[in-house]
Amino acid sequence: MSDSTSSSPSLPSSTPPTSVPSPAIATLSLSDVKEVTDQDREKAARLKADANKAFTSHDFPRAAQLYSDAIELNPLDATLFCNRAYTRIKLEEHGYALHDAARAIEINPKYAKAYYRRAMCHIQILKPQQAIADLKRVLALEPQNAQIRKELESTQKLVRRIEFEKAIEMEEEKSAVERCLEIIAEGACEVEKAYAGPKLEKTEDGKYKITLEFLRSMIQWFKDGKSLPRRYAWEIVLGAHDHFVKEQSLVDVKLDEGVTIDVIGDVHGQFYDVLHLLSLTGEPSEKHFLLMNGDLVDRGSWSIEVILTAFAFKWLYPSNMFINRGNHEAKEMNRTYGFEGEAKHKHGEQSYKLFAHVFTTMPLATLISATQPPATTKGAILSPEGLKRYFVTHGGLFSKDGVTLDEIRAINRIGRQPGTEGLMSEFQLLWTDPQELPGRGPSKRGVGIAFGPDVTRRWCELNGVTGIMRSHEVRQDGYAIEHDGLCTTVFSAPNYVDQGGNKGAFIRIDAKGTQEYVQFEAQPHPNIRPMAYQTGGLANLMM
């Protein structure tokens, strides 16, 4: 394993978005397809075999491209579309996967696997109601398939539960924070006497306080596979909450001379990779800040350990540790991708409710501003003071032009969940993705929109921002510089869900606004699969 650093990466070396649909194939109907020759079928079969090998090796971008090449030769083979759909599910390109599954069904209406792929896409884009019809179709084609019957029942239960929880939430008056504080005051959440792990200290008035010694001991406790008492978990979450609620939706961070900040992308519950990451970044301090750019939880099976570590640093160092909210810090995502099950398993129902509320208090973006003149400008967009500054948010830009920094600061976020249909404009910055084409278009993930390089430039020029830093998507090199250098994606979960084969990375910025890119590799972890606390089809996709 070797970690690498680059202070001036060239654009061609960064990883482009994973795959794009073939426009020729996307617009064809079956009646438009030319006759497929035996030679075309043979070539397509060879490409399919190569694609299958790439898929097995977890080289999903190459597999998608090879399946696409095979489809161009033989667009009447439903298995090619179905296989590419599965590949695109692995790449989290669920919008494209839905298209491929639908085309496979059009070619072969009795293709059970294609209906199943489409059902899994609907679940992943938080539309379980639409998955039920496809699962029923699979069961009609394969009535003896016990696994599908189980998944259908599980999905039906999920839909009923979602409706029930919506009704319950309308009746609840107290926030989870208020309820937890009441439980503590009632003496109903005390530390178990048998607990022998690291201890939080108390102040003179009897309240818990956090120390660096406790935090370091807690990390080692987690590394040893042990859990904190529920009371300590609550204290950490409440400690972070007290600082989040004081911050605006856009947090301003100024880098004085000698100060640096590391921007960290998605870590998705990969605790043992986070430990390695912290060994590279160092702990937050007065001279070195950390900014975690959302998606700390879900998918990885140590999300509790990751989020408690991050929140503990926020409680201890509120002016040096910053955390943006990601699209996975949301109830619907946590229900689907594992964090809800993990939180309830490790700390109980009320603990999950506490996390869910505190997630809504996390800021949506951070503005990192240099305070020293830039070493070089080279046509860079600068702030009104002539300095570099970077807008950091989890997803990206809005569905309309003209959104200002002051409007983002003023967003009323606390207690609000981002939706997936008709996204509230203020939450689009958790979901959107960059695209290579100008303008805006539908997102390949099936949720939200994509924005082009012209959109990015107009927004940066309007707000005097040198560049946008965002996360939200895997990049094989751990980072990618896009949109003529104005948009950088950073992703910090190496070998994502034990299958991605990607590197992780973080970005270090100094007081002049100079950027340095550090890549790192995945680390060994205990033999627990991703999404171990999630049941049903999505858990099976991780295997």
Side-chain angles (χ1 to χ4, degrees), residues 95-363:
Y96 292 174
L98 281 169
H99 172 275
D100 282 344
R103 180 52 65 92
I105 291 167
E106 183 183 4
I107 296 169
N108 181 2
K110 294 185 177 181
Y111 194 2
K113 188 178 289 186
Y115 288 103
Y116 181 73
R117 296 278 183 258
R118 190 165 68 179
M120 291 302 100
C121 285
H122 284 310
I123 291 174
Q124 295 213 46
I125 62 173
L126 311 182
K127 297 179 180 180
Q129 298 92 337
Q130 296 186 34
I132 289 173
D134 280 332
L135 290 172
K136 286 181 175 179
R137 182 61 176 164
V138 176
L139 202 57
L141 293 168
E142 299 180 357
Q144 304 304 316
N145 193 324
Q147 181 62 36
I148 295 299
R149 187 177 302 278
K150 181 179 178 182
E151 291 187 22
L152 173 59
E153 293 172 355
S154 175
T155 305
Q156 290 171 326
K157 288 180 181 178
L158 173 62
V159 171
R160 290 194 295 269
R161 182 180 146 213
I162 290 170
E163 295 303 318
F164 175 76
E165 289 179 352
K166 286 180 180 178
I168 293 296
E169 285 177 3
M170 293 178 66
E171 297 175 3
E172 291 182 346
E173 296 180 0
K174 294 179 180 177
S175 74
V177 168
E178 292 174 307
R179 182 58 187 138
C180 286
L181 289 173
E182 282 183 353
I183 293 170
I184 290 171
E186 293 165 359
C189 188
E190 296 301 309
V191 177
E192 297 85 353
K193 292 182 179 180
Y195 173 66
K199 302 285 201 306
L200 280 172
E201 296 181 8
K202 286 189 175 182
T203 61
E204 292 182 358
D205 59 1
K207 293 184 178 180
Y208 283 110
K209 68 175 183 178
I210 191 169
T211 63
L212 182 58
E213 180 184 3
F214 169 84
L215 200 158
R216 289 173 175 171
S217 297
M218 179 192 74
I219 290 174
Q220 184 60 50
W221 189 252
F222 287 158
K223 189 176 180 181
D224 294 338
K226 300 176 183 179
S227 298
L228 287 182
R230 183 177 308 172
R231 175 63 180 274
Y232 281 7
W234 286 14
E235 291 291 343
I236 291 170
V237 178
L238 292 168
H241 164 269
D242 289 346
H243 296 296
F244 288 142
V245 294
K246 297 173 185 176
E247 295 175 327
Q248 294 181 309
S249 289
L250 173 62
V251 175
D252 289 283
V253 176
K254 294 189 182 297
L255 301 180
D256 293 326
E257 188 171 6
V259 175
T260 57
I261 187 170
D262 289 342
V263 179
I264 298 166
D266 302 35
V267 294
H268 276 298
Q270 296 184 195
F271 179 65
Y272 293 86
D273 293 317
V274 170
L275 294 183
H276 179 55
L277 172 61
L278 290 174
S279 75
L280 300 174
T281 63
E283 297 169 342
S285 67
E286 291 184 358
K287 289 294 185 179
H288 183 61
F289 303 162
L290 296 183
L291 167 57
M292 301 189 77
N293 194 30
D295 280 14
L296 283 73
V297 301
D298 279 338
R299 294 195 179 273
S301 293
W302 293 274
S303 291
I304 283 290
E305 288 77 7
V306 168
I307 197 68
L308 287 178
T309 298
F311 280 6
F313 274 121
K314 182 65 180 178
W315 186 16
L316 181 62
Y317 299 125
S319 300
N320 313 129
M321 179 72 181
F322 304 94
I323 311 174
N324 286 341
R325 186 181 186 183
N327 67 303
H328 276 266
E329 278 75 47
K331 282 186 176 180
E332 285 190 324
M333 300 299 281
N334 297 159
R335 182 189 297 123
T336 303
Y337 289 96
F339 179 68
E340 178 181 337
E342 181 183 345
K344 290 180 177 179
H345 175 82
K346 293 179 178 178
H347 292 292
E349 173 88 22
Q350 187 60 38
S351 299
Y352 171 67
K353 290 181 178 181
L354 178 61
F355 277 113
H357 178 75
V358 174
F359 285 166
T360 73
T361 69
M362 294 164 63

Side-chain angles (χ1 to χ4, degrees), residues 58 60 90 92 124 267-273 297-303 336-339 341-342 346 493-502 522-523 525-543:
H58 296 167
F60 302 124
K90 293 290 189 181
E92 300 190 2
Q124 295 213 46
V267 294
H268 276 298
Q270 296 184 195
F271 179 65
Y272 293 86
D273 293 317
V297 301
D298 279 338
R299 294 195 179 273
S301 293
W302 293 274
S303 291
T336 303
Y337 289 96
F339 179 68
E342 181 183 345
K346 293 179 178 178
N495 194 29
Y496 182 42
V497 294
D498 291 347
Q499 297 180 357
N502 58 290
Q523 300 299 297
H525 62 72
N527 188 24
I528 301 176
R529 64 177 173 81
M531 291 176 62
Y533 301 93
Q534 176 70 16
T535 59
L538 293 192
N540 296 334
L541 285 176
M542 293 298 103
M543 300 175 67

Side-chain angles (χ1 to χ4, degrees), residues 491-513:
F491 195 82
S492 304
N495 194 29
Y496 182 42
V497 294
D498 291 347
Q499 297 180 357
N502 58 290
K503 294 179 181 179
F506 63 89
I507 307 172
R508 180 162 294 177
I509 306 170
D510 66 16
K512 294 183 178 181

